[in-house]
Amino acid sequence: YPKRSGVDIWPTTTAQDARGSGSQGEYGGPDSERDVGVTLTELGEIYSYWGDYDRAENAHREQIRIYRRLFPEGNVNLAFALSDLGGALEMRGSLREAEDLLREGAEMERKVKGLENADLTLNNYATFLRRQGRYDEAEPLARQVLNRWRGDDDVPNQAKGYALQNLGLIRLEQGHMIEAERLFQDAAENWRQFFGGRHPKLANALIGLGQIAATKGDWATAANYFRQAEQIRSERMGHEHPDSVL
């Protein structure tokens, strides 16, 4: 699931806008509790990266408890927390609760930000559906996220990269190789512009291109893509990391 590095956890304000003796500030809660919520976001993501989904679940549940109290009408950060917990539960195999949380997070982000501006949590929900083999349900959601960035073809960003890659995987599984290849190519170019040429996210897009080449029987091209991806992952994540072994 997409991490939100580079995405403002709290919209830009001065410290005085939200602080004061006991004041609730612009975003509806004491700074100390909001700070705890932000810290729990990072903690949960670290535990998930380590594969410690029990602790990730505990961190995100506590985060949600805080945000539900601070933002009873909903908030984009609560939507992110619901989606994060859903992702952790999916990894543990608790699929029914995971789906409920991912759907709630996506619906909340759309409610708070507007249908045309929701992307991360909706893409997470589409990713979940894809992983469950529910491609017909996942595809329209992935396209909706991607349509959010239509007209911004020259503006690289993480949300667009995830959307391109997710839809590419869906179309690959559905057997639509031409569209899948174009989507992975666009995803790879997005990651190159956003992160440079040696980032693990670029490796993911290269693996998708390698899979398509292999499906076509173009083994030399497939091997080249896989080799590039392995080199990037080994360089950035270490040779012993499971993702470095293709």
Side-chain angles (χ1 to χ4, degrees), residues 3-6 156-159 161-162 165 187-204 232 236:
K3 290 183 171 30
R4 291 183 301 282
S5 56
N157 63 71
Q158 292 199 70
Y162 288 123
Q165 211 155 272
E189 183 58 27
N190 179 83
W191 295 131
R192 287 190 187 96
Q193 291 184 44
F194 194 78
F195 285 118
R198 310 298 296 175
H199 195 278
K201 289 183 174 62
L202 172 58
N204 293 337
I232 292 171
R236 298 299 299 271

Side-chain angles (χ1 to χ4, degrees), residues 43-107:
L43 191 60
E45 289 180 349
I46 290 170
Y47 284 139
S48 290
Y49 180 79
W50 288 345
D52 190 343
Y53 298 112
D54 287 340
R55 290 185 177 179
E57 177 185 349
N58 291 337
H60 290 310
R61 286 195 187 280
E62 178 63 14
Q63 179 188 20
I64 289 169
R65 185 187 67 79
I66 291 171
Y67 285 164
R68 285 199 190 279
R69 184 173 66 252
L70 291 177
F71 311 113
E73 301 301 320
N75 174 274
V76 68
N77 300 288
L78 174 55
F80 289 154
L82 292 164
S83 190
D84 287 342
L85 177 57
L89 291 177
E90 182 193 357
M91 295 300 103
R92 295 188 57 191
S94 301
L95 299 182
R96 180 173 297 179
E97 185 180 4
E99 181 170 2
D100 289 342
L101 288 161
L102 287 160
R103 185 190 301 111
E104 182 183 359
E107 290 173 350

